Amino acid sequence: MRSLAVDDEALGDKPDLSASTADPSHARITTWLMGRISGGWVLTGDKLPPEAELAEALGVSRMTLRQALGSLEGQGWIARKRGRSGGSFVREPRVPVDLTGLPGFTEQMRRANVRAGARVVRTGVVDPTPEVSAGLELVRGQRVIEIVRVRSARREPLALEETYLPEHLFPGLLDRNLNASLYALMRDHYALSPQSAQEWLEPEIASVEQATLLGVEPGSALMLVTRRARAANGIAVEFAHDRYRSDRTRITLQTGLGTDTRIAAEPR
C-alpha cells in the first residue's frame, strides 16, 4: 500500500477547475481521479492524500472535495475509513454487468474484459414452484431442470445463478459441461437459446446460504435480477433468479427512444 502525496507522480496533472465548463468542480475532480485509477497510475490499496491537503492543492473547499470522494465511494472506486489509520483507500472497481441485449454471464464478463468462471452448486430435475411453472408456462406434471451456480470474475464470486429450464425441451442437458455458458449449450445443442426476455430488478438481503456461497456477510445487499426468457419461436425456455453482489458489481442497461428495452416496475 502506498500513501500518496498531493505532488505524487501517480496523481499526474491536477484538473484546471478555473476553466468555465458545464460540469461542477466536484464532478471534474471525480472524473480526474477515476481516470488516474482506471489508467493504472493509482493502484488498488493506495491511500489518497489527506482531505485538507488535497482540497488545498486543488483550490477547492473540503465540502467540494468530499462531494467528489462521496461519488467515487458510491461507485465503488474508493473506500473511506475513519480513525487514526483511516483515509480514502482505492479499491478494485466494481465489475460492470451490462444487461443490454440479453447476454449471459460469460458475455457480460467478456464485455467487461474479465474472464468468467463457474462453480456448480446444485443440479437436478425437480417439480417447479408455482412461480417457476407460471414463468415457463408449463402444464400440470411437467418438471424443470434446476441449475444453481456461483459465477465468478477475477477469481472472486460475483453472482449466484438459480436457473430453471423445461425438462422436455432440453433432454440430456445435465450430462453436458455446466461450467460453460448455458446459453451456448441451449443454442448449439437444442437451437433454443433465449432471444427475448422480461427482467425485473430489485434489491434483496443475502440469506445465510447465499452469503456463504458469495463470500459476503449474511444480510449484505444483493441485486436480484429475475428473468423470463423466450426462444425465437416464442416458447418460454428459461426462468431465472440471478443475485449479484452489490459491492462488487454495477449493473448497466442501455436504453433509448425507438428501442424495445424496458424495465417494468410492478407491485409485489
Side-chain angles (χ1 to χ4, degrees), residues 169-171 173 176 183-192:
L169 296 181
F170 300 97
L173 180 70
R176 302 187 183 277
Y183 281 10
L185 289 177
M186 296 164 73
R187 179 190 67 238
D188 297 341
H189 296 281
Y190 303 93
L192 285 174

Side-chain angles (χ1 to χ4, degrees), residues 237-266:
V237 293
E238 180 199 30
F239 188 85
H241 291 305
D242 296 342
R243 293 174 171 88
Y244 292 91
R245 287 178 53 172
S246 62
D247 65 326
R248 299 301 301 121
T249 60
R250 189 181 188 201
I251 294 178
T252 64
L253 182 67
Q254 296 183 40
T255 62
L257 294 176
T259 70
D260 60 359
T261 303
R262 297 183 297 277
I263 298 179
E266 300 179 354

Side-chain angles (χ1 to χ4, degrees), residues 160-171:
L160 178 62
E161 293 182 342
E162 181 183 320
T163 304
Y164 298 94
L165 311 175
E167 179 195 20
H168 64 282
L169 296 181
F170 300 97

Side-chain angles (χ1 to χ4, degrees), residues 7-47:
D7 58 350
D8 199 297
E9 184 179 351
L11 293 175
D13 295 331
K14 309 297 186 295
D16 182 5
L17 302 179
S18 64
S20 178
T21 70
D23 295 328
S25 294
H26 69 82
R28 282 181 275 176
I29 295 171
T30 299
T31 300
W32 163 62
L33 286 172
M34 285 176 60
R36 302 310 294 179
I37 297 170
S38 62
W41 290 281
V42 178
L43 306 176
T44 299
D46 283 353
K47 182 180 180 181

Side-chain angles (χ1 to χ4, degrees), residues 201-255:
L201 281 67
E202 57 191 313
E204 189 176 72
I205 299 300
S207 68
V208 173
E209 179 186 10
Q210 293 162 359
T212 299
L213 292 171
L214 289 172
V216 299
E217 292 294 324
S220 296
L222 305 177
M223 178 56 71
L224 169 63
V225 179
T226 301
R227 179 174 55 260
R228 177 174 59 193
R230 298 179 183 275
N233 59 9
I235 295 176
V237 293
E238 180 199 30
F239 188 85
H241 291 305
D242 296 342
R243 293 174 171 88
Y244 292 91
R245 287 178 53 172
S246 62
D247 65 326
R248 299 301 301 121
T249 60
R250 189 181 188 201
I251 294 178
T252 64
L253 182 67
Q254 296 183 40
T255 62

Side-chain angles (χ1 to χ4, degrees), residues 40-244:
W41 290 281
V42 178
L43 306 176
T44 299
D46 283 353
K47 182 180 180 181
L48 297 180
E51 286 185 6
E53 296 178 17
L54 187 55
E56 182 179 1
L58 293 170
V60 298
S61 67
R62 291 185 68 173
M63 179 67 71
T64 296
L65 177 63
R66 284 174 178 169
Q67 283 183 280
L69 296 178
S71 178
L72 288 169
E73 185 177 34
Q75 296 180 58
W77 291 88
I78 66 171
R80 291 190 288 178
K81 301 178 182 179
R82 297 180 179 179
R84 178 178 297 180
S85 60
S88 297
F89 297 85
V90 176
R91 62 184 300 177
E92 191 169 4
R94 290 174 177 162
V95 177
V97 176
D98 187 358
L99 298 182
T100 306
L102 192 58
F105 186 88
T106 302
E107 171 61 18
Q108 292 167 2
M109 295 302 100
R110 188 194 66 79
R111 293 178 180 179
N113 296 314
V114 177
R115 184 176 180 179
R119 178 171 68 87
V120 177
V121 176
R122 182 174 69 251
T123 65
V125 177
V126 300
D127 294 321
T129 64
E131 179 189 34
V132 172
S133 182
L136 291 175
E137 300 174 348
L138 302 176
V139 301
R140 184 182 297 273
Q142 289 183 323
R143 308 186 79 198
V144 294
I145 297 171
E146 178 189 54
I147 303 171
V148 179
R149 305 187 299 174
V150 174
R151 304 308 307 270
S152 60
R154 300 171 182 155
R155 299 183 178 180
E156 182 178 33
L158 291 188
L160 178 62
E161 293 182 342
E162 181 183 320
T163 304
Y164 298 94
L165 311 175
E167 179 195 20
H168 64 282
L169 296 181
F170 300 97
L173 180 70
L174 293 181
D175 296 326
R176 302 187 183 277
N177 178 17
L178 300 180
N179 290 314
S181 167
L182 288 184
Y183 281 10
L185 289 177
M186 296 164 73
R187 179 190 67 238
D188 297 341
H189 296 281
Y190 303 93
L192 285 174
S193 62
Q195 296 297 311
S196 63
Q198 266 188 303
E199 294 186 299
W200 297 265
L201 281 67
E202 57 191 313
E204 189 176 72
I205 299 300
S207 68
V208 173
E209 179 186 10
Q210 293 162 359
T212 299
L213 292 171
L214 289 172
V216 299
E217 292 294 324
S220 296
L222 305 177
M223 178 56 71
L224 169 63
V225 179
T226 301
R227 179 174 55 260
R228 177 174 59 193
R230 298 179 183 275
N233 59 9
I235 295 176
V237 293
E238 180 199 30
F239 188 85
H241 291 305
D242 296 342
R243 293 174 171 88
Y244 292 91

